[in-house]
Amino acid sequence: MDPSTAAEAEPPPPEPSGRTPLREIAWLFLRLGATSFGGPAAHVGMMEREVVQRRGWLTREQFLDMMSAANLIPGPNSTEMAIHIGWARARWAGLVVAGACFIAPAALITLAVAWAYVRYGTLPAATGMLYGVKPVVIAIVAQAVWRLGRSALRTRAMAAVAAATAALGAVGANELALLLGAGAVMALPAWLRERKGSGMSPSPPMLLIPPVGLAAAPQFGLTPLFLFFLKVGSVLYGSGYVLIAFLRSDLVEQRGWLTDQQLLDAVALGQATPGPVFTTATFIGYLLGGVEGASLATLGIFLPAFVFVAASGPLIPRLRKSRVAGAFLDGVNAASLAIMFVVACELGRSAVVDPITACLALASGVMLIRSPINSAWLILAGALVGIAATPAGPR
């Protein structure tokens, strides 16, 4: 099917209206937290389908602005998107409920697997499930990039910024630098026009970068454990993969709390379970301090996200009213989509590896185009096919 034909046939989402009951927010994000495999890009794709296309809680423009704001602050981007959406639909109560419900399923699943790991000394096998889920995730991300791109890339300048960002991202350029650079490129002409007209220099959008300065503690304790993960959640930019280097430097090399093998198992678990990759902290906390350690590590790494969204979320509508800040957000929107596209291509090379995974990706894409199917059902179907086809799967 021609993508342009599919786009024209796709019914427009309903206009956002009023507030959303907390029980609806809780149910949606509990389900997303339990079924959203594939990392931040996939999580954002599933959220876009649910809150923009199916429910009409946000316009695509509002969703893009939230995505840009989440990319500009430290912490887990997809969790921050959930918190932003909760704030938009039910203010403070929604902020807490959406974030907590998105985190809780992954944290509980990780806690159960950590218990099995400590008891049996190994991770439960998840190869077959991931083999089937990954190509479905690729289709979800691709559809989200296509739909959001139609709203975000409104001008040739924005399309050029997106293309340049994708090219630089593909060769390994820093994600934060790309986002800020794209925003600056789009904001500069508006800034010059506004300065010429008023003689004043408007302030650019604020970037929240907290200071790094928690001292390392060589001996293990629950308080140092909490403070370490609080620091990580406060300063870590980029995808969950950046977390690996952070954890190895501090927990393995400096403090000696973990072995390399335990760290690799913790990161593998973060990839194999649904929800935020940062629930790796839950696993490590359990290894080091049992249930109490897992609880404190999880609280520490996710708490800054709630604080940063609470501080920056209310500013988004105000920034949109400024020509300079609005142009900056336009640039960051274009760059965010380009980075999602690069991530989808990178994941696609490792996910679509044979005829079975190719058929799963294609069938999922067709279903997403032709029907308002809940993406959780596609994830479940992919997992079942992957488990059934594991002997013929990746070798």
Side-chain angles (χ1 to χ4, degrees):
M1 175 182 288
D2 180 22
S4 61
T5 304
E8 291 172 3
E10 179 184 303
E15 286 296 316
S17 61
R19 292 197 176 190
T20 303
L22 286 177
R23 64 180 179 278
E24 292 185 27
I25 295 173
W27 170 243
L28 172 62
F29 284 102
L30 280 171
R31 182 166 55 75
L32 286 174
T35 59
S36 55
F37 291 87
H43 304 167
V44 171
M46 293 179 72
M47 289 179 194
E48 188 274 340
R49 185 167 179 81
E50 294 293 335
V51 305
V52 177
Q53 188 178 1
R54 297 187 71 231
R55 289 171 170 78
W57 288 359
L58 301 173
T59 65
R60 285 173 182 163
E61 290 74 17
Q62 288 172 325
F63 188 88
L64 282 163
D65 285 347
M66 289 179 185
M67 189 168 73
S68 296
N71 280 323
L72 289 174
I73 57 178
N77 291 348
S78 56
T79 303
E80 288 165 348
M81 277 299 298
I83 299 169
H84 271 298
I85 294 167
W87 162 263
R89 299 307 300 174
R91 290 299 183 258
W92 293 106
L95 178 148
V96 174
V97 168
C101 288
F102 184 64
I103 296 165
L108 292 174
I109 292 169
T110 302
L111 186 62
V113 178
W115 172 85
Y117 180 87
V118 169
R119 180 161 184 173
Y120 301 110
T122 186
L123 288 173
T127 303
M129 179 182 66
L130 292 178
Y131 167 70
V133 165
K134 285 180 179 180
V136 177
V137 165
I138 297 303
I140 293 170
V141 175
Q143 284 293 303
V145 171
W146 170 254
R147 288 194 301 267
L148 292 172
R150 290 165 53 211
S151 297
L153 307 181
R154 301 185 302 273
T155 65
R156 290 182 180 179
M158 294 180 70
V161 166
T165 301
L168 291 171
V171 297
N174 179 270
E175 291 180 6
L176 182 60
L178 290 176
L179 293 166
L180 293 176
V185 166
M186 291 298 297
L188 182 59
W191 180 81
L192 292 174
R193 286 193 299 269
E194 191 165 310
R195 185 179 184 186
K196 184 180 294 185
S198 65
M200 297 179 65
S201 300
S203 300
M206 181 176 63
L207 175 66
L208 299 176
I209 306 180
V212 182
L214 292 177
Q219 294 186 347
F220 174 75
L222 290 176
T223 298
L225 177 72
F226 171 76
L227 292 177
F228 168 73
F229 280 108
L230 185 68
K231 178 187 74 171
V232 171
S234 299
V235 302
L236 189 63
Y237 277 96
S239 68
Y241 302 107
V242 181
L243 185 63
I244 301 173
F246 229 93
L247 295 178
R248 190 174 190 281
S249 173
D250 274 79
L251 298 185
V252 177
E253 295 180 347
Q254 293 185 24
R255 307 182 188 220
W257 291 355
L258 293 178
T259 65
D260 274 326
Q261 184 58 50
Q262 287 174 323
L263 176 61
L264 289 174
D265 287 343
V267 172
L269 179 63
Q271 301 296 319
T273 52
V277 176
F278 277 27
T279 50
T280 296
T282 308
F283 183 85
I284 293 173
Y286 186 84
L287 292 187
L288 297 175
V291 174
E292 190 174 359
S295 302
L296 289 173
T298 305
L299 177 64
I301 201 167
F302 285 109
L303 181 61
F306 289 88
V307 175
F308 292 146
V309 172
S312 63
L315 298 177
I316 297 175
R318 298 179 187 177
L319 293 177
R320 263 295 163 204
K321 294 177 182 178
S322 162
R323 289 183 180 179
V324 176
F328 183 88
L329 283 176
D330 284 342
V332 176
N333 286 345
S336 297
L337 285 172
I339 291 171
M340 279 185 69
F341 173 76
V342 171
V343 169
C345 291
E346 292 173 349
L347 293 176
R349 286 197 294 269
S350 63
V352 183
V353 295
D354 56 25
I356 294 176
T357 50
C359 288
L360 275 172
L362 180 61
S364 299
V366 171
M367 291 293 292
L368 289 167
I369 290 172
R370 290 181 172 271
S371 69
I373 187 172
N374 189 316
S375 53
W377 292 113
L378 293 177
I379 293 286
L380 176 60
L384 294 175
V385 170
I387 292 170
T390 296
R395 285 174 285 274

